[in-house]
Amino acid sequence: MKRIFIITTMLIMMFSVGTAHAELYFDYEAINIYSEYPLIYIDNPNYQKNYDKKIPPASYEVNGKTYIWSDKQTNTHALLYSDTAYNTLSRENYQGYREYDCDVIWTGEYYMVRNARYDKESSGYWQYIKSPIQFYDSEFNLVREQTFDGFPYKIEFYNNTYYCKYYGSGTQKSDAVAHIMASTDTVNWVDITDEEELMAEKVGNVLRKAGNYTRKASIDGDNFYDLSYEDGMGYVSASRFGEWICYMDFDNQQILFSKDGIYTVPVKSAKDLNLRNGESFSIEYIYEYGDELIVDTTKYRITIEKESLYTELEELNSPYLVYNGSILAFETPPVIENGTTLIPIRFLFGQMGAEVDWEQDTRTATISKDGTVITFTIDNTTAMVNGEPAEMTLPAQLINDKTMVPVRFLSEELGYTVDWDGDNRIITIE
């Protein structure tokens, strides 16, 4: 497998730090996901004609943690493995082996459990499936159940509130209408469909809402901001593995991995994916196998050197930047060095309406806005503001081919105010 691993290490200061991405690559081979088993499947001791030759394992590994294996893994929350959890929540199927197909969230008081067995059925069928949401205590004793008038498709817990999105009856037989329910005690539920356009999902410490025309995120759990992605993508859905997520970027032939749904670690294809115009494929399973992370899709089996990827994800701890009511999701996340935050120049200042010019021979950038002209050179702390020298706390740097500049210095020179919320690691520019 082709691997290129280049790490630029930055000094860790204050509450957070960003680092330059290593260049990571994946290899792949064509598979038929409908006839080939995931590599970690085991031999079926009861194999006979018309029965599966291999069966799913009870667990799988991601980054040193063991989770219960689920065929619905990429659409559900991961649950840490224990014999009690597995034996309580799995079921014996017609072939005599146990299957786990639940979506489970630990809320600090209860395990909130959803039956995910029918997730891949058509939405028109969902209105006829009224499986309950179950609540178990820490020892997996069933405390209570809550049944809605339809199929529970998504669950979440945040701000001390339980949420469930279910699909109920529509005006036509084939319709299934989404409803969002909320409760603070698991007993009394309120329909908040009209109040909430989309139900948030929790990715790491970030709450994220995504729909066909909506991208919002909350860092502090209360205030939602629009999400503006530098790459223009802004994924709607993602595949979960362990506590992280990933999604395909077909235009650039890469997989983007994230632990917060905002900043990503790109893993590029080492060779052309040979996709026809507009062709795509979906992720089915993600798991470790030896030294590799395996991503089984409906077209390819993708392999990634796992430790390099895990290192990049764990070190991805950049601050968030809010400008004009939006969180800016930079392709190369901000970096904090010696207490100064460096951000990619074009995305932010383009949002401000400034002109950004780059002179390659001298490695000099010029920002112009409303009569203010700022010029600076890579690795030089002296900038020129309207022809007068001004000292920056750090020089501009090139990281991942992006020009990174001190955000406070340039923003304030252009007339903006910059605030730092250390608790939530948020930079706000107004």
Side-chain angles (χ1 to χ4, degrees):
M1 182 190 304
K2 180 180 179 182
R3 302 188 186 102
I4 299 176
F5 195 69
I6 304 170
I7 301 178
T8 301
T9 304
M10 307 302 293
L11 183 64
I12 299 177
M13 296 296 292
M14 293 179 64
F15 295 91
S16 59
V17 65
T19 60
H21 285 320
E23 289 187 346
L24 303 179
Y25 290 86
F26 67 78
D27 206 346
Y28 68 86
E29 61 179 349
I31 63 169
N32 183 344
I33 195 65
Y34 303 108
S35 60
E36 297 187 43
Y37 300 97
L39 295 174
I40 60 172
Y41 270 40
I42 58 180
D43 291 334
N44 185 350
N46 300 318
Y47 173 67
Q48 53 184 288
K49 188 176 181 180
N50 298 325
Y51 277 22
D52 286 336
K53 186 175 182 178
K54 289 183 176 290
I55 60 176
S59 62
Y60 69 106
E61 303 285 330
V62 171
N63 195 29
K65 294 183 179 180
T66 304
Y67 299 94
I68 298 179
W69 174 268
S70 170
D71 282 343
K72 309 299 188 298
Q73 169 207 33
T74 56
N75 192 47
T76 58
H77 300 82
L79 178 63
L80 290 172
Y81 181 88
S82 72
D83 289 340
T84 301
Y86 182 72
N87 292 330
T88 301
L89 300 178
S90 63
R91 61 185 175 87
E92 186 173 299
N93 69 3
Y94 69 95
Q95 295 188 34
Y97 66 86
R98 301 196 71 81
E99 286 184 314
Y100 169 87
D101 41 26
C102 294
D103 185 9
V104 184
I105 299 172
W106 170 244
T107 69
E109 183 177 8
Y110 299 118
Y111 287 99
M112 186 179 187
V113 180
R114 178 182 72 87
N115 181 352
R117 191 180 313 167
Y118 305 103
D119 279 9
K120 294 184 179 181
E121 298 287 348
S122 67
S123 60
Y125 181 63
W126 285 341
Q127 59 185 301
Y128 304 109
I129 306 172
K130 296 178 173 60
S131 59
I133 297 295
Q134 298 176 314
F135 296 90
Y136 292 82
D137 65 19
S138 60
E139 302 299 322
F140 281 94
N141 299 302
L142 181 62
V143 176
R144 68 175 311 273
E145 296 182 339
Q146 175 66 45
T147 301
F148 300 107
D149 188 25
F151 175 62
Y153 182 70
K154 183 181 290 187
I155 55 174
E156 280 295 349
F157 177 81
Y158 52 90
N159 293 347
N160 297 314
T161 303
Y162 302 88
Y163 293 89
C164 177
K165 180 178 182 179
Y166 78 88
Y167 283 86
S169 302
T171 55
Q172 302 294 324
K173 186 176 181 180
S174 61
D175 289 345
V177 179
H179 300 266
I180 300 175
M181 307 298 291
S183 174
T184 57
D185 59 9
T186 78
V187 176
N188 301 292
W189 293 82
V190 178
D191 191 329
I192 61 170
T193 307
D194 294 336
E195 302 173 26
E196 296 285 332
E197 178 188 2
L198 295 165
M199 194 174 88
E201 61 175 348
K202 194 168 186 180
V203 183
N205 293 320
V206 173
L207 293 175
R208 187 177 177 280
K209 296 181 179 182
N212 290 336
Y213 306 102
T214 303
R215 310 285 189 277
K216 292 181 178 293
S218 174
I219 310 300
D220 60 10
D222 293 317
N223 301 301
F224 279 88
Y225 299 94
D226 291 332
L227 267 174
S228 181
Y229 287 84
E230 184 175 9
D231 60 13
M233 285 185 56
Y235 70 94
V236 174
S237 61
S239 300
R240 293 180 178 269
F241 70 110
E243 298 170 5
W244 297 331
I245 62 172
C246 68
Y247 55 102
M248 295 298 307
D249 174 5
F250 294 104
D251 290 341
N252 297 300
Q253 300 205 23
Q254 61 185 0
I255 309 178
L256 299 174
F257 291 84
S258 178
K259 64 180 184 180
D260 62 5
I262 297 178
Y263 296 135
T264 61
V265 174
V267 182
K268 303 175 183 179
S269 179
K271 56 188 179 182
D272 192 271
L273 286 174
N274 298 315
L275 297 176
R276 297 185 298 272
N277 186 35
E279 184 183 5
S280 63
F281 50 82
S282 60
I283 296 172
E284 295 290 311
Y285 310 110
I286 307 174
Y287 52 93
E288 290 181 3
Y289 188 75
D291 294 332
E292 312 290 344
L293 183 72
I294 307 298
V295 181
D296 282 345
T297 76
T298 51
K299 185 177 178 70
Y300 296 124
R301 171 162 288 153
I302 292 170
T303 56
I304 303 166
E305 198 277 306
K306 66 182 184 183
E307 292 305 327
S308 301
L309 173 61
Y310 293 168
T311 297
E312 288 294 295
L313 281 167
E314 289 171 344
E315 291 180 353
L316 189 59
N317 194 33
S318 296
Y320 302 100
L321 192 146
V322 175
Y323 170 72
N324 197 26
S326 294
I327 296 174
L328 303 188
F330 297 95
E331 285 184 295
T332 297
V335 170
I336 293 181
E337 183 178 349
N338 293 337
T340 295
T341 302
L342 303 172
I343 56 97
I345 184 174
R346 286 195 179 274
F347 188 37
L348 171 60
F349 295 103
Q351 296 275 316
M352 292 177 174
E355 292 186 14
V356 180
D357 296 311
W358 171 254
E359 174 55 54
Q360 178 62 35
D361 291 341
T362 60
R363 301 206 305 172
T364 298
T366 301
I367 298 176
S368 305
K369 185 178 188 297
D370 298 335
T372 299
V373 179
I374 305 172
T375 303
F376 52 89
T377 303
I378 299 299
D379 296 330
N380 191 336
T381 58
T382 302
M384 301 299 291
V385 180
N386 292 333
E388 297 294 328
E391 289 298 312
M392 300 185 291
T393 54
L394 280 180
Q397 302 176 21
L398 284 177
I399 299 177
N400 296 334
D401 295 325
K402 298 279 189 179
T403 303
M404 308 284 284
V405 297
V407 63
R408 181 179 293 276
F409 174 83
L410 269 72
S411 298
E412 290 180 346
E413 289 293 343
L414 291 175
Y416 293 91
T417 59
V418 180
D419 291 320
W420 166 250
D421 175 359
D423 291 337
N424 295 298
R425 304 180 358 264
I426 299 174
I427 301 165
T428 301
I429 300 176
E430 297 178 328

